[in-house]
Amino acid sequence: MTAEPTTRVIAADANAIGQAAHTLSAGGLVAFPTETVYGLGADATNATAIARLYAAKGRPDFNPLIAHVTDIETARTLAVFNSEAEKVAATFWPGPLTLVLRKTLMCPVAELATAGLDTIAVRVPNHPVARDILRALGGPIAAPSANRSGHVSPTTAAHVLADLRGRIELIVDGGPTSVGVESTIVACLDGRALLLRPGGLPRTELERVLGGALADAPEMRIDAEADAPIAPGMLASHYAPKAKLQLDARRVNAGEALLAFGPKLPPGAERAARVLNLSQRGDLVEAAANLFSHLRALDMPGVAKIAVMPVPHDGLGEAINDRLARAAAPRESAAHERDE
Ligand code: TXA
Ligand code: MG
């Protein structure tokens, strides 16, 4: 895939479905309609494609993405369903409902797509074009709304083109979307279900099936326009390694692991407990693709500190540095205590 693709818009016919699946499996970016809004899809298992997707959205951030799948059986390979999740999924899927659930151990979705979290957002959409593309690809598609970050979600192919022309390979035009607002997002984790984002599925319908009031999660509420949690510090939001992070490390001390960037390693690298390079050739898209999985791999028993080489601030570097800074921040003990 080239750095600056020509964006093709094609009508959603049988031929378009095959092209969309082919482009996705080659690591490309394809916008397609769901019944809520148009999504910007990438192969959810391909970390490089996911990194390109964040870059195409404009202000690069690694806000976790929704994994779209064909049916609940496939969703079960990605996520763990508790009884509340079972109930609402059985009733409302396919449809404008996204569930935030614990990730399965074998979940094939790239760490970058879930921003390194141990939870994952999953959705079974109810639009024939989205469903056909999912079936043709035969795997999960990670897709945020197909707008530049900070813009409103697109409900037509023309909206998508206005925002993303020259940044993605393909737009499959399936006409205006019917629901027009994003999916409702509900977290079904350990406790009771929480409403994270109001959306196309009304709260009252969920409450009817859950048999009681659906709790709001004000501290986790998602701002649909900003594409970000309203209080990002509070959301089970950032990946936090057990080891301490030493940012902008210019040397490595004994016993430390090294998260490298670029061809030249700092003094002391030879005594690192383990070295992983975000991108030996200094490529920020490659670095983003590796970020969360490398951090996890270096966060191993016996390693108290991970030395992180400086990463330039341009392009995806801004988001990489943001996530590194969050991972390095002291644990928010005050916030955790309030939950108990
Ligand atoms: O209707 C929709 O939901 C559209 C279509 C394309 O499916 N998608 C969409 O995605 O609106 P996006 O990325 O624009 O919004 C998804 C929201 C993000 O704000 C993200 O923070 C949140 O879902 N999210 C994703 N994974 C999460 C997780 N594990 N925990 C909490 N929030 C999560
Ligand atoms: Mg969005």
Side-chain angles (χ1 to χ4, degrees):
M1 293 296 153
T2 53
E4 283 190 2
T6 312
T7 304
R8 290 184 304 131
V9 184
I10 53 178
D13 55 18
N15 181 37
I17 302 302
Q19 287 190 51
H22 181 262
T23 304
L24 288 166
S25 60
L29 304 178
V30 177
F32 61 92
T34 78
E35 75 275 27
T36 55
V37 299
Y38 274 72
L40 175 57
D43 173 356
T45 66
N46 180 338
T48 305
I50 302 296
R52 290 187 67 233
L53 189 158
Y54 284 115
K57 289 266 297 178
R59 185 198 73 193
D61 58 23
F62 299 149
N63 203 11
L65 306 174
I66 299 172
H68 296 71
V69 293
T70 44
D71 49 44
I72 188 167
E73 283 68 41
T74 313
R76 277 187 229 286
T77 64
L78 312 182
V80 180
F81 285 69
N82 64 14
S83 62
E84 287 178 311
E86 290 287 350
K87 264 198 248 175
V88 292
T91 313
F92 299 113
W93 276 356
L97 171 69
T98 294
L99 295 176
V100 170
L101 306 172
R102 293 253 170 258
K103 217 152 87 166
T104 58
L105 284 178
M106 299 306 289
C107 181
V109 170
E111 292 272 1
L112 184 62
T114 55
L117 301 176
D118 58 4
T119 59
I120 183 168
V122 283
R123 172 171 176 222
V124 177
N126 192 21
H127 192 290
V129 173
R131 298 181 62 71
D132 284 350
I133 295 174
L134 280 164
R135 228 174 281 122
L137 180 66
I141 297 178
S145 49
N147 51 284
R148 298 280 293 252
S149 246
H151 293 191
V152 295
S153 295
T155 56
T156 66
H159 296 164
V160 179
L161 188 64
D163 262 22
L164 298 174
R165 183 199 289 271
R167 309 177 75 90
I168 66 178
E169 276 74 28
L170 194 61
I171 301 173
V172 180
D173 186 351
T177 62
S178 56
V179 176
V181 296
E182 301 86 351
S183 61
T184 301
I185 305 184
V186 175
C188 298
L189 300 170
D190 311 317
R192 47 192 191 138
L194 296 172
L195 182 66
L196 301 191
R197 180 177 75 183
L201 179 67
R203 169 202 288 273
T204 46
E205 299 222 11
L206 284 158
E207 290 179 336
R208 183 173 50 77
V209 169
L210 289 170
L214 180 60
D216 271 304
E219 77 279 12
M220 290 173 72
R221 280 284 283 269
I222 292 165
D223 177 349
E225 279 187 30
D227 255 346
I230 284 173
M234 294 292 297
L235 183 57
S237 69
H238 25 265
Y239 171 66
K242 291 190 193 67
K244 285 210 173 63
L245 255 59
Q246 171 72 54
L247 300 184
D248 289 324
R250 312 270 166 183
R251 52 174 291 123
V252 185
N253 300 307
E256 295 178 358
L258 174 63
L259 185 63
F261 179 84
K264 200 169 171 296
L265 299 187
E270 66 288 346
R271 55 173 178 250
R274 187 172 179 198
V275 180
L276 288 175
N277 203 324
L278 288 170
S279 172
Q280 188 146 18
R281 58 194 158 96
D283 177 69
L284 288 164
V285 170
E286 184 184 29
N290 287 328
L291 177 64
F292 291 109
S293 50
H294 278 11
L295 271 175
R296 255 177 215 270
L298 293 179
D299 191 18
M300 50 193 191
V303 169
K305 199 182 257 185
I306 302 170
V308 183
M309 285 176 66
V311 175
H313 227 70
D314 35 76
L316 284 183
E318 186 182 348
I320 293 171
N321 282 310
D322 171 76
R323 288 315 198 251
L324 284 170
R326 288 167 189 269
R331 304 294 171 263
E332 289 164 19
S333 51
H336 288 306
E337 275 156 25
R338 228 181 305 155
D339 291 342
E340 284 160 9

